[in-house]
Amino acid sequence: MINRETFVELMSGVCSPVTVVTATTADGRPHGTTVSSLASLSLDPPLVSFALDRASRLLPHLQPGDRVGVNILGAHQRELASTFARRRGSGSKFDGVTWTLRAGLPYLPESAGWTAGHVERHVDGGDHILLVVCVEEAEPTPAAPLIYARRVFGTHTPLAVAS
């Protein structure tokens, strides 16, 4: 078995999209956290997946059948990624953040993309839970996405075309 540090170093070299996953509680309060494990899972039906730490404060609000929003952050939204990655005490991560409701879910304007759907199921993944989401709404934009690799934020740059 490999040691934890080797695994963490290996995975830091895998570029990942930066998203803020959101939900609304029964009393209307917004919840959200930064997630860098969003992946396309299926085209038919349209499914995506992402993983949450078992200790995530968002996880209790994303049980099978619950609705979920995924804000795919743009390259200009690095600050939002940091804001939603922090653990908060008594305050809300949405304090001081521009947001609105979209399809009943917290939405961050000017994101590089948006999708919403319902949690179809949970899959055990060690210290994380993989959430499978059936996509019901999607809006791509031409904005450059925010990417995380080697412990820094960046974005994608196409390679020059060979002549």
Side-chain angles (χ1 to χ4, degrees), residues 85-106:
R86 292 186 196 113
R87 294 200 178 264
R88 289 281 179 158
S90 58
S92 169
K93 292 179 181 178
F94 287 86
D95 291 346
V97 171
T98 300
W99 66 282
T100 186
L101 284 176
R102 180 171 176 169
L105 296 161

Side-chain angles (χ1 to χ4, degrees), residues 79-154:
E79 181 96 7
L80 279 177
S82 297
T83 296
F84 282 91
R86 292 186 196 113
R87 294 200 178 264
R88 289 281 179 158
S90 58
S92 169
K93 292 179 181 178
F94 287 86
D95 291 346
V97 171
T98 300
W99 66 282
T100 186
L101 284 176
R102 180 171 176 169
L105 296 161
Y107 169 73
L108 302 172
E110 300 180 19
S111 293
W114 159 259
T115 189
H118 70 272
V119 177
E120 191 163 289
R121 63 182 166 271
H122 288 179
V123 178
D124 181 34
D127 59 3
H128 281 63
I129 298 290
L130 186 70
L131 288 84
V132 176
V133 174
C134 182
V135 174
E136 298 165 335
E137 181 178 329
E139 180 186 337
T141 77
L146 185 63
I147 303 295
Y148 189 73
R150 301 276 185 222
R151 299 176 185 86
V152 296
F153 294 114

Side-chain angles (χ1 to χ4, degrees), residues 7 11 13 31-32 34 45 64 109 141 146 152:
F7 183 70
M11 295 311 297
H31 282 267
T34 299
T141 77
L146 185 63
V152 296

Side-chain angles (χ1 to χ4, degrees), residues 4 6 8 22 35 38 44 60 67 75 90 95 97 103 107 112 116 122 131-132 134 142 147 157-158 163:
R4 179 184 174 97
T6 301
V8 169
T22 61
V35 171
L38 179 70
D44 187 20
R67 295 200 25 85
S90 58
D95 291 346
V97 171
Y107 169 73
H122 288 179
L131 288 84
V132 176
C134 182
I147 303 295
T157 302
S163 53

